[in-house]
Amino acid sequence: MNSEAFFVLGANHHKTPLAVRERLSLSADAAATLAAQLTQLQGLREFTLLNTCNRVEFYGVAADPLAAQRVQAAFCSQQQVDPAEFEQIRLNLRGADAVRHLLEVAAGIDSQMIGETEIFGQVKDAYAAAQSRGHTGPVLNRVFQKAFQAAKHVRTHTAITEGQVSIANVAVDLAHTIFGDLSSTRILLLGAGDIGEKTAKAFQSRQAGSLTVASRRFERAMELATALHASAMPFEQRDARLSEYDVVVCATSAPGVVVTRDAAKAAIQKRPARPLFLIDLALPRDVEASAADLQNVFLYNLDDLAKIAEENRAAREAELAKCRAMLAERADALWKHIEPRLAELKANHHG
Amino acid sequence: MFAGLTDRTWLWFAAGFYLAGLLLGTLSLLRGQQQSNTRINVIIALGYLCQLIGLYARGRVVGGCPLGNTFEIFQFTAWSATTLYLVVGVTFRLSLLGYFTSCLAAVLTLVSLAIPAWDLTRRAKIFGGNPWIELHASLALFSYGVFALLALTALMLVLRHYSLKKKHLSGWFSFLPPIMDLDHISVRLLVTGVVMMTASLIGGTIYWARDPASVNSTKLLMTVAIWLAYAIALTLRLKGHLLAKRFAWTCLALFGAALLSLGPVDASRHSPALPAPDHVVPR
């Protein structure tokens, strides 16, 4: 069977719990050591290792049907994992199924967060690293390059990557909907907790103009501001300086209201031509709900953002069948193209 | 193949292209997709070309700018709006502006073509053979084209505000441009429109001062009222007193008023109403 000659072996978030994935995850040094071992492995002609927080996968081309088992043995030995335990949770695909899997991974439809695009870069990096070390050959080169083309095609021709699915990114998208280019947008973060920090980072990743942090504990605000290369502001100044900001991310654990309607009204009156976007991520809520009625003030709370994220997630899931069909068609064509080459490889091995 | 086509046939073709832009855009939006900018721009450009040929043929026969009846005024206003879109609007890179432009042009051209009474007669010698008065009239109507495009960006601004306030962000609302972009472009269009209309009125005033009886008071009052309303809106906007949704609604209301004023302005002209030229073949 030629299908044996192309395989993917590994573990990912579908069947492997986080605690086990932690044990299977390869450090940079461990990955290099293992790669060096695999180059010596009998019957293994080409391989690429994809190692991310959600998956460890080996893509291999073998002239010998036992090569995949040897890869598994080397990996389990390296990570000190019981092979029997690994077999319970492993991903083990051959031939056209393995090709299809790679295409789906590169397109982001096999990811935990469907449609995410970070995986595309990770697959590209993994392939580039393998190629630069001479671990790939004509089969993997073709399969990976076709996988990148297929991923791009799916992203362009379906809505699989449209709409953000995390609260922080939804908030940034909304800010973009209001202000367009965010490079001149000033952000105020009230509260120095985890969700606020994530949202602030999401704004920074989209080149927001400037970030100021204010927290009820000034030293904590300073600490976070330093980590984020932002500035800090005493919490008590928030009302007086509210008009200086375009986006206010409220994420405190204060028991009462932190931004009142009157404060928002005073702020918008000082800069009437620019909208004020209030993002309330706190529970209990930080912003007085009636602030939403003010002209040119837009208030979104945690429920609003979660609802948008959920709608986007549902929309992406609705695109899954279409994406899978597109990728299956391309995977089948690709498999037909590489199968004769694999047959040749096996024949040479046996000869 | 096209040699024997009359001016109105070319204008029907133009209306057809604009309608195609409207229908294809609507279909794309209903499917939850954004219409390709290239496709809508090509459709509008083809409509524009047909309209240009039709208006050129009419202009050659009447010996000047074809602004002699309501039909011609509506056609010229639609042509001005598409001219501005093709010359300036494309560079705004506002998603949906092309779609809205094709909607407006389709409505203006189809309505004017569908009412034959608007093109039965036309005022002859409305410019008295004076090219400067012709320039004044065409500048005034071109400013209406600018205000038409402004009405479109204002409409998009109203819809964008509604979607953000009501938290309806999916579907075709997701294709609307950001509020600040729409606001900036609307202000620029308002400034352009007011400047053009002011230039037109200054030109007109020179001739009116020489011969006050040459201009009907209804036309004068209507035109000055429209200009004044737009100028006040611009002043209030620049001073920060007319903003966001109110600014957008004002622009929409003013364009409605400007369109409604075209009928009385045309009817109040002194020049005699003569039969419109038979459908002419461009040469």
Side-chain angles (χ1 to χ4, degrees):
Chain A
M1 283 287 285
N2 297 326
S3 61
E4 290 295 318
F6 185 80
F7 68 89
V8 53
L9 180 76
N12 60 37
H13 60 94
H14 290 299
K15 279 173 77 179
T16 316
L18 183 62
V20 182
R21 291 207 304 276
E22 280 170 351
R23 283 167 51 212
L24 298 178
S25 177
L26 288 158
S27 66
D29 286 345
T33 310
L34 185 61
Q37 279 181 46
L38 296 185
T39 53
Q40 308 298 320
L41 212 66
Q42 191 193 340
L44 185 65
R45 296 298 167 90
E46 303 175 28
F47 70 92
T48 297
L49 166 59
L50 177 63
N51 182 30
T52 73
C53 53
N54 273 338
R55 64 181 78 236
V56 181
E57 292 176 357
F58 296 90
Y59 293 86
V61 176
D64 178 347
L66 295 175
Q69 284 181 31
R70 294 186 193 115
V71 171
Q72 179 180 311
F75 174 64
C76 289
S77 162
Q78 165 89 34
Q79 295 304 97
Q80 297 176 336
V81 175
D82 178 5
E85 188 192 349
F86 179 70
E87 280 174 18
Q88 302 274 314
I89 47 98
R90 76 175 176 185
L91 167 81
N92 186 17
L93 300 172
R94 297 285 189 273
D97 291 340
V99 173
R100 192 176 308 132
H101 175 76
L102 175 62
L103 267 58
E104 290 187 357
V105 169
I109 68 169
D110 193 62
S111 298
Q112 205 162 28
M113 200 177 278
I114 294 164
E116 56 103 359
T117 51
E118 197 184 348
I119 186 67
F120 183 77
Q122 290 168 326
V123 176
K124 268 197 135 175
D125 289 345
Y127 168 65
Q131 194 189 28
S132 67
R133 288 173 194 140
H135 298 163
T136 62
V139 176
L140 279 188
N141 285 341
R142 181 159 190 95
V143 172
F144 272 86
Q145 278 156 15
K146 287 288 171 188
F148 300 140
Q149 285 175 14
K152 283 179 191 164
H153 181 81
V154 162
R155 273 162 34 182
T156 311
H157 292 90
T158 70
I160 196 70
T161 57
E162 279 177 19
Q164 299 293 345
V165 290
S166 78
I167 299 283
N169 283 324
V170 167
V172 179
D173 257 15
L174 281 169
H176 175 75
T177 302
I178 296 169
F179 299 101
D181 178 21
L182 295 180
S183 61
S184 59
T185 310
R186 293 152 299 180
I187 320 289
L188 172 63
L189 170 62
L190 296 177
D194 188 43
I195 189 166
E197 185 180 340
K198 275 186 186 155
T199 310
K201 281 181 177 166
F203 271 104
Q204 287 186 322
S205 73
R206 300 270 284 270
Q207 281 77 46
S210 68
L211 173 70
T212 304
V213 184
S215 173
R216 287 180 297 167
R217 284 172 51 216
F218 188 66
E219 62 277 19
R220 176 68 190 121
M222 283 291 288
E223 203 178 292
L224 184 59
T226 308
L228 296 174
H229 305 290
S231 53
M233 180 182 92
F235 196 67
E236 300 70 34
Q237 291 182 8
R238 65 188 187 281
D239 282 358
R241 294 180 57 186
L242 202 59
S243 62
E244 294 172 24
Y245 300 96
D246 301 304
V247 178
V248 183
V249 181
C250 304
T252 76
S253 51
V257 168
V258 169
V259 177
T260 61
R261 177 195 161 94
D262 287 346
K265 191 176 179 182
I268 202 73
Q269 279 170 350
K270 284 186 195 163
R271 22 87 50 77
R274 277 186 84 78
L276 178 62
F277 181 29
L278 301 171
I279 304 165
D280 192 350
L281 303 174
L283 275 177
R285 284 178 286 174
D286 277 347
V287 184
E288 199 173 344
S290 59
D293 303 333
L294 295 168
Q295 189 181 227
N296 238 6
V297 172
F298 302 97
L299 169 62
Y300 280 71
N301 62 33
L302 205 52
D303 272 4
D304 299 326
L305 299 174
K307 192 175 161 224
I308 295 167
E310 192 47 51
E311 281 172 6
N312 291 341
R313 195 171 295 125
R316 284 187 180 189
E317 274 169 16
E319 289 288 283
L320 266 182
K322 193 173 161 188
C323 294
R324 286 208 172 105
M326 282 170 131
L327 293 171
E329 196 180 315
R330 284 173 172 246
D332 289 346
L334 180 56
W335 175 246
K336 278 180 192 151
H337 187 86
I338 61 169
E339 203 181 6
R341 198 181 281 268
L342 294 170
E344 206 176 298
L345 195 72
K346 275 179 77 178
N348 289 343
H349 179 73
H350 291 303
Chain B
M1 181 186 170
F2 299 112
L5 300 178
T6 65
D7 58 344
R8 279 183 72 97
T9 309
W10 282 105
L11 295 173
W12 272 112
F13 276 153
F17 278 116
Y18 296 142
L19 185 65
L22 184 159
L23 294 176
L24 289 172
T26 307
L27 210 63
S28 294
L29 292 175
L30 289 174
R31 284 182 185 154
Q33 298 164 344
Q34 188 165 11
Q35 185 169 215
S36 136
N37 276 343
T38 311
R39 186 174 74 179
I40 190 71
N41 289 342
V42 167
I43 290 172
I44 291 177
L46 289 171
Y48 175 81
L49 190 69
C50 294
Q51 202 176 13
L52 190 67
I53 296 170
L55 287 175
Y56 169 76
R58 177 66 69 103
R60 272 184 68 98
V61 170
V62 301
C65 205
L67 298 170
N69 59 26
T70 309
F71 166 77
E72 290 174 4
I73 287 172
F74 266 61
Q75 286 285 340
F76 195 84
T77 305
W79 178 81
S80 305
T82 47
T83 302
L84 201 72
Y85 172 75
L86 290 171
V87 174
V88 190
V90 174
T91 62
F92 289 161
R93 294 187 178 278
L94 284 187
S95 49
L96 287 190
L97 185 59
Y99 167 68
F100 278 101
T101 303
S102 66
C103 293
L104 177 82
V107 170
L108 290 178
T109 53
L110 284 171
V111 166
S112 65
L113 283 161
I115 305 175
W118 283 5
D119 196 29
L120 284 179
T121 59
R122 70 183 311 280
R123 313 266 162 195
K125 296 181 179 171
I126 50 176
F127 308 121
N130 188 326
W132 291 105
I133 299 182
E134 198 165 343
L135 179 68
H136 143 78
S138 49
L139 258 183
L141 265 189
F142 204 85
S143 67
Y144 275 45
V146 178
F147 293 140
L149 210 60
L150 169 62
L152 296 182
T153 56
L155 177 65
M156 289 159 85
L157 195 53
V158 167
L159 291 171
R160 188 33 112 193
H161 261 273
Y162 170 83
S163 82
L164 275 163
K165 280 282 187 188
K166 298 288 175 189
K167 290 157 189 167
H168 296 317
L169 297 153
S170 54
W172 71 275
F173 282 120
S174 63
F175 303 131
L176 286 165
I179 281 187
M180 290 298 285
D181 291 357
L182 286 168
D183 189 60
H184 287 154
I185 287 160
S186 298
V187 172
R188 271 189 259 168
L189 286 171
L190 182 54
V191 170
T192 310
V194 169
V195 167
M196 287 182 87
M197 202 169 181
T198 306
S200 159
L201 286 185
I202 288 170
T205 306
I206 294 167
Y207 289 92
W208 175 71
R210 283 182 196 163
D211 179 13
S214 66
V215 182
N216 180 288
S217 57
T218 312
K219 180 194 165 190
L220 187 69
L221 281 174
M222 286 269 190
T223 314
V224 171
I226 294 292
W227 169 78
L228 200 61
Y230 272 111
I232 290 171
L234 176 61
T235 310
L236 290 174
R237 173 63 187 82
L238 294 178
K239 285 188 171 292
H241 299 307
L242 185 65
L243 295 160
K245 215 167 59 176
R246 282 182 204 151
F247 169 63
W249 275 116
T250 304
C251 293
L252 280 169
L254 286 179
F255 183 64
L259 269 187
L260 289 175
S261 75
L262 286 175
V265 165
D266 179 50
S268 66
R269 286 168 173 168
H270 283 311
S271 49
L274 301 173
D278 285 340
H279 302 172
V280 288
V281 177
R283 267 184 277 165

